[in-house]
Amino acid sequence: GLDVSTSITGATILDLSGNIMYCEQWDFRNKKKFPDLLDKADIVRLKLFELGHRYKINSVYIEQPFTYFSSGGSSAKTMSTLQRFNGMVTWICFKGLGIKPEPITAASARKQCGLKIPRGENTKQKVLDFVVDKYPDFKVEYTKHNNAKPGVYDRADSCVVALAGLSQWNQKS
């Protein structure tokens, strides 16, 4: 399961029983190290190549980026950049792993996991709470102000995408 972002991408690999085999974040926020999308995509390529050799990956599920505007949401430029990067990562999965990734919306992934979040609630926190409840060993680090450190929510989102993907994969098999 991949939660693709141009700042931090979350990646989770589950075994067929739903146990976490790999759950990490790939941090692209260093502009000197990653000046553009191609540099970030190249790191994704290398990471997926490494994971493909370490694990038997049967399928890949990628969270779809937003495709519509909402009040206080991202600008057209941000949404366009995220769409481009998501497309690059999709292509890398296809060419590097030989797997056509399946897109899944965040709402659909949460629904397939049985996670209902009422309007107005903090979605990121609810997703994190769900993942921590399901996987008590899920590593959560906090800042001195008791906020989750960068990358924690991305890993949690990728875990939910992976769980939804596993559910879809089991329905097909």
Side-chain angles (χ1 to χ4, degrees):
L2 294 171
D3 174 43
V4 176
S5 169
T6 58
S7 57
I8 300 175
T9 290
T12 298
I13 297 176
L14 302 177
D15 67 14
L16 295 177
S17 299
N19 300 308
I20 295 176
M21 305 301 293
Y22 176 92
C23 186
E24 296 294 329
Q25 74 251 11
W26 303 333
D27 193 337
F28 305 120
R29 293 174 299 162
N30 184 328
K31 293 198 186 308
K32 287 184 181 173
K33 208 172 177 182
F34 309 108
D36 60 37
L37 288 184
L38 293 174
D39 295 303
K40 296 173 184 186
D42 197 40
I43 293 300
V44 171
R45 181 186 62 80
L46 293 171
K47 295 276 190 187
L48 289 176
F49 180 78
E50 175 190 324
L51 291 174
H53 284 285
R54 218 160 89 198
Y55 301 98
K56 178 165 177 22
I57 299 174
N58 297 315
S59 57
V60 176
Y61 294 83
I62 298 180
E63 184 179 295
Q64 285 181 316
F66 287 115
T67 55
Y68 58 89
F69 290 103
S70 62
S71 163
S74 300
S75 69
K77 181 180 179 188
T78 300
M79 288 172 60
S80 171
T81 301
L82 186 53
Q83 289 282 0
R84 285 177 49 220
F85 191 56
N86 194 287
M88 289 177 184
V89 171
T90 298
W91 180 251
I92 290 166
C93 290
F94 176 60
K95 294 308 275 184
L97 298 174
I99 297 170
K100 289 184 180 179
E102 297 190 41
I104 186 167
T105 65
S108 174
R110 291 190 298 266
K111 184 177 180 182
Q112 287 180 51
C113 292
L115 180 56
K116 294 183 176 110
I117 302 172
R119 279 191 187 273
E121 301 251 346
N122 182 337
T123 302
K124 293 283 186 193
Q125 188 60 50
K126 292 291 183 185
V127 167
L128 179 58
D129 293 343
F130 170 83
V131 171
V132 169
D133 285 347
K134 183 159 183 63
Y135 301 105
D137 292 339
F138 186 86
K139 185 176 64 178
V140 181
E141 295 181 70
Y142 293 96
T143 66
K144 63 182 177 183
H145 300 293
N146 209 31
N147 297 316
K149 283 193 172 181
V152 170
Y153 293 131
D154 304 282
R155 286 190 301 109
D157 286 342
S158 73
C159 191
V160 167
V161 170
L163 281 166
L166 179 59
S167 174
Q168 287 182 16
W169 192 82
N170 284 331
Q171 288 173 5
K172 289 179 191 175
S173 299

